[in-house]
Amino acid sequence: MQNSHLIPLPSLCTHYQIEMSFFNGLNDYGLIEFISVEQTYCIHQDKIADLEKMIRLHQDLQLNFEGIDTVFNLLEKIDYLKSELTLTQNKLKRFEDL
Amino acid sequence: MAFIDYYKILGVEKTATKADIKKAYRKLARKYHPDLNPNDKDAELQFKKVNEANEVLSDDENRKKYDQYGENWQHGEAYEQAREQQKQQRQSQQHYQHSSGSQGFGDGDYSDFFESMFGGGFDNRSRTTKFRGQDFNAQLQLDLKDVYIIEKRVLTVNGKNIRLTIPAGITNGQIIKIKGKGGEGRNGGPHGDLLIEFIITNTTAFKRDGSNLYKTVNLDLYKAVLGGDVTIDTFDGKVKLNLKPLTQNGTQVKLKGKGFPVYKKDGQFGDLYITYNIELPKKLSDKEKELFEELAKLQ
């Protein structure tokens, strides 16, 4: 993994104006994964979109960590069901006009 | 510009307390938040309305002003004075940049009514927080024939041309993410992504399931009984097949590697399944009927 793709946690705290304890909480609940580089915790840039969503859910809707975790699990399920639906619809097309 | 009934939007009475408004706002925000309703434009619009209503009604001064002018907000000297005052305030706060703190809301976070009555937004929580820009969603319709090979297209999104190379074998409903081609970030945040959903129409005689193709080929009775050569159209040309005598109706044969390209697997193809549909003669001449009767006697 390239280090240039990793964003140090202190930078994220400054960037989003969020306390380190919030990130620690997300990490404790398994919502984000810290990567340690030279004694500094970092987050992979590909996880930033998810992280921002968590910040919004926390700030806009006052969701706690359990709430964020539940929302993410349900959104994941919705995504899975959507892809299953598309797959099934595509399969059904085989039998149309038979 | 129409009057907006903020009380109606939040579903509260005009006599509602601050606590009632907060409770109603939170309930509706949870219902319509864009992160909980991905790709739902109606929910996004509703969330904007709910936010706007909350910003007016949860602030004593704004609520007072709103209640005072009501539906006659466009008339009256007092409104004009208030508007002028707002204009001056705006000019003295040129650095102010509003962000609702939610994905997807650009300059149009507030209604014209709101802008006209109150100027900009009030939420100062995320004025300086940098957020990634909105993800743009687009649909691209292609024919099955187009996606048999690598397809190049140029898309225009918000006035910018984006060159797109679409790998062969993309499926209907598949979404491709183009990083950094979405909306601009907030307060210097990075751009969002462009999500393109592919709608694949099929005007061919083939049915597709993943990388496999299916086709029904009609055979006349005599060919099915006696066997022989049949020429079949595959997706990339004609193929001659040897038909065994006494081929039964519904027999399926697999032509390996004659299906659709496997997505992002260069040189790999699925299979083509041919199902034979044996057609009986629709009418018989006297001679034919006589011969069939003779055949029947032999059974």
Side-chain angles (χ1 to χ4, degrees):
Chain A
M1 194 182 296
Q2 284 178 21
N3 283 358
S4 59
H5 293 161
L6 299 175
I7 302 164
L9 225 48
S11 307
L12 291 172
C13 288
T14 314
H15 186 87
Y16 295 113
Q17 297 180 331
I18 281 180
E19 304 253 337
M20 183 68 92
S21 59
F22 178 74
F23 292 106
N24 286 331
L26 292 176
N27 183 50
D28 291 344
Y29 275 81
L31 288 160
I32 54 171
E33 192 188 343
F34 289 168
I35 299 158
S36 182
V37 178
E38 293 169 5
Q39 295 185 327
T40 304
Y41 284 127
C42 301
I43 287 176
H44 195 273
Q45 66 173 19
D46 287 352
K47 301 289 174 195
I48 292 299
D50 277 351
L51 178 68
E52 289 194 348
K53 199 182 275 187
M54 291 172 203
I55 294 170
R56 286 193 297 267
L57 291 172
H58 176 65
Q59 290 183 335
D60 294 352
L61 304 178
Q62 290 77 45
L63 294 192
N64 58 14
F65 300 120
E66 289 91 340
I68 295 170
D69 196 18
T70 307
V71 164
F72 266 68
N73 284 331
L74 290 174
L75 287 176
E76 210 171 276
K77 246 180 210 173
I78 290 172
D79 274 350
Y80 171 75
L81 290 173
K82 267 188 190 168
S83 64
E84 282 291 297
L85 180 67
T86 307
L87 197 71
T88 310
Q89 282 172 335
N90 287 344
K91 275 186 189 292
L92 275 176
K93 280 185 184 161
R94 247 186 78 196
F95 304 102
E96 280 173 9
D97 310 320
L98 276 185
Chain B
M1 202 187 313
F3 169 75
I4 297 174
D5 189 340
Y6 291 134
Y7 291 101
K8 203 173 165 185
I9 287 171
L10 290 183
V12 293
E13 296 293 325
K14 284 195 172 178
T15 52
T17 62
K18 272 186 118 171
D20 293 336
I21 287 164
K22 191 176 177 180
K23 191 175 164 188
Y25 163 70
R26 285 192 169 175
K27 192 169 170 57
L28 291 169
R30 281 196 296 273
K31 187 175 176 184
Y32 295 116
H33 196 279
D35 284 323
L36 303 182
N37 299 275
N39 305 327
D40 185 342
K41 291 279 166 204
D42 290 340
E44 191 176 306
L45 180 67
Q46 208 58 36
F47 186 68
K48 282 182 187 178
K49 286 181 183 175
V50 167
N51 256 339
E52 185 173 301
N54 179 58
E55 292 209 8
V56 173
L57 300 184
S58 64
D59 182 282
D60 290 338
E61 198 185 321
N62 291 322
R63 186 176 177 183
K64 193 176 159 193
K65 193 195 291 179
Y66 177 76
D67 288 344
Q68 192 179 348
Y69 303 126
E71 290 188 39
N72 301 315
W73 62 280
Q74 260 182 326
H75 310 289
E77 205 179 326
Y79 166 73
E80 287 304 325
Q81 280 173 4
R83 193 176 169 181
E84 191 56 38
Q85 203 180 343
Q86 284 294 338
K87 198 175 162 188
Q88 283 168 8
Q89 277 176 11
R90 272 208 310 275
Q91 281 166 352
S92 65
Q93 296 175 341
Q94 280 180 345
H95 64 281
Y96 176 85
Q97 203 179 359
H98 169 74
S99 165
S100 67
S102 295
Q103 188 180 27
F105 304 151
D107 294 336
D109 284 359
Y110 294 94
S111 65
D112 290 344
F113 169 76
F114 181 96
E115 296 280 357
S116 190
M117 195 164 192
F118 301 104
F122 308 113
D123 181 10
N124 57 9
R125 188 191 62 222
S126 51
R127 273 183 204 178
T128 53
T129 307
K130 293 175 184 174
F131 273 105
R132 191 174 154 272
Q134 179 190 9
D135 285 343
F136 286 160
N137 291 285
Q139 278 192 341
L140 184 57
Q141 191 171 320
L142 296 170
D143 194 79
L144 193 64
K145 286 178 206 154
D146 299 329
V147 295
Y148 186 75
I149 49 167
I150 293 171
E151 176 79 3
K152 292 194 179 206
R153 290 279 167 122
V154 178
L155 286 184
T156 307
V157 178
N158 280 3
K160 286 179 188 164
N161 287 339
I162 297 167
R163 278 189 214 163
L164 205 61
T165 302
I166 304 156
I170 199 157
T171 54
N172 182 46
Q174 192 171 335
I175 294 169
I176 284 185
K177 181 158 81 175
I178 315 285
K179 275 199 165 188
K181 296 292 182 187
E184 273 184 33
R186 293 286 165 77
N187 304 321
H191 278 65
D193 300 328
L194 172 64
L195 303 168
I196 303 168
E197 184 186 3
F198 288 86
I199 308 296
I200 314 292
T201 52
N202 184 3
T203 53
T204 71
F206 298 91
K207 301 280 182 189
R208 182 186 179 195
D209 182 7
S211 56
N212 291 332
L213 290 175
Y214 296 81
K215 189 180 187 186
T216 301
V217 171
N218 293 330
L219 292 177
D220 65 60
L221 177 68
Y222 310 103
K223 182 78 90 179
V225 171
L226 301 172
D229 288 341
V230 280
T231 304
I232 286 166
D233 285 318
T234 68
F235 221 90
D236 65 346
K238 290 182 188 298
V239 166
K240 196 189 253 184
L241 294 180
N242 185 260
L243 197 70
K244 287 179 190 167
L246 300 176
T247 295
Q248 302 295 307
N249 187 42
T251 299
Q252 198 175 58
V253 291
K254 180 167 89 171
L255 303 186
K256 208 167 167 45
K258 285 290 177 187
F260 220 69
V262 181
Y263 181 72
K264 284 194 170 177
K265 297 265 173 78
D266 207 23
Q268 284 189 38
F269 288 79
D271 303 323
L272 169 62
Y273 290 86
I274 301 289
T275 304
Y276 292 121
N277 175 48
I278 297 164
E279 292 181 310
L280 294 176
K282 289 198 173 64
K283 58 182 180 183
L284 295 173
S285 64
D286 290 345
K287 180 69 180 167
E288 283 172 324
K289 195 176 173 189
E290 193 183 313
L291 289 169
F292 269 109
E293 280 168 353
E294 268 189 54
L295 280 172
K297 280 178 198 166
L298 291 174
Q299 293 294 311

